[in-house]
Amino acid sequence: MGESRRGPLKSAVPSNVVSPVRRCSRTACGRPAVATLTYVYADSTAVLGPLATYAEPHCYDLCAEHSERLTAPRGWEVVRLLDSSAPARPSGDDLEALANAVREAARPQERAAEAGGGRGADPMEVARRGHLRVLRSPDN
């Protein structure tokens, strides 16, 4: 009675072939897919959009690098659909507003002088930095 009592799951060889992450369809590329490519042959159009909810046999999943470098055959048009769920990249106006806010925060003395110029300054206040104030000791 030298039989092994191992069940089929215990004797199975673990496999790393199946992954819950969809991979790029390009040969020898194992990066995760971020976009889906579909060809519309009747219109000679390649449509590249956000990753489809499920894999279909007539669509191709592409990684970020391959989706950016995608070109179509001569005479074909590439239509790139924007992913509305992806965060928008900052525009020039956003970056300029951020730079202005940083510049303004770097000049707290000027803001304190402007704020104090319109109304009587507190005699106890010695200096101001943003919303913080340095007060003179009541003993002095």
Side-chain angles (χ1 to χ4, degrees):
M1 304 219 158
E3 284 185 34
S4 173
R5 297 190 147 219
R6 283 192 250 172
L9 292 178
K10 290 181 181 178
S11 64
V13 176
S15 173
N16 294 332
V17 175
V18 178
S19 171
V21 177
R22 287 174 33 199
R23 301 286 175 190
C24 183
S25 298
R26 296 292 300 260
T27 305
C29 181
R31 292 185 287 261
V34 297
T36 299
L37 172 66
T38 307
Y39 290 108
V40 182
Y41 294 98
D43 297 332
S44 299
T45 304
V47 180
L48 182 68
L51 190 62
T53 54
Y54 56 91
E56 292 192 35
H58 61 276
C59 294
Y60 302 92
D61 294 336
L62 300 177
C63 65
E65 181 181 344
H66 285 124
S67 64
E68 289 172 8
R69 295 186 342 193
L70 175 73
T71 59
R74 186 176 300 161
W76 282 57
E77 181 182 0
V78 176
V79 176
R80 295 178 186 268
L81 303 175
L82 298 177
D83 184 5
S84 61
S85 66
R89 292 187 177 181
S91 69
D93 292 340
D94 295 337
L95 295 176
E96 186 175 347
L98 180 61
N100 289 337
V102 170
R103 283 187 204 107
E104 184 180 336
R107 296 186 238 124
Q109 290 80 15
E110 292 175 18
R111 283 190 312 185
E114 291 171 6
R119 63 180 201 276
D122 184 2
M124 297 294 290
E125 186 175 318
V126 175
R128 187 178 195 114
R129 184 160 188 100
H131 67 281
L132 301 175
R133 298 183 298 167
V134 177
L135 301 177
R136 185 175 312 144
S137 173
D139 298 335
N140 292 348

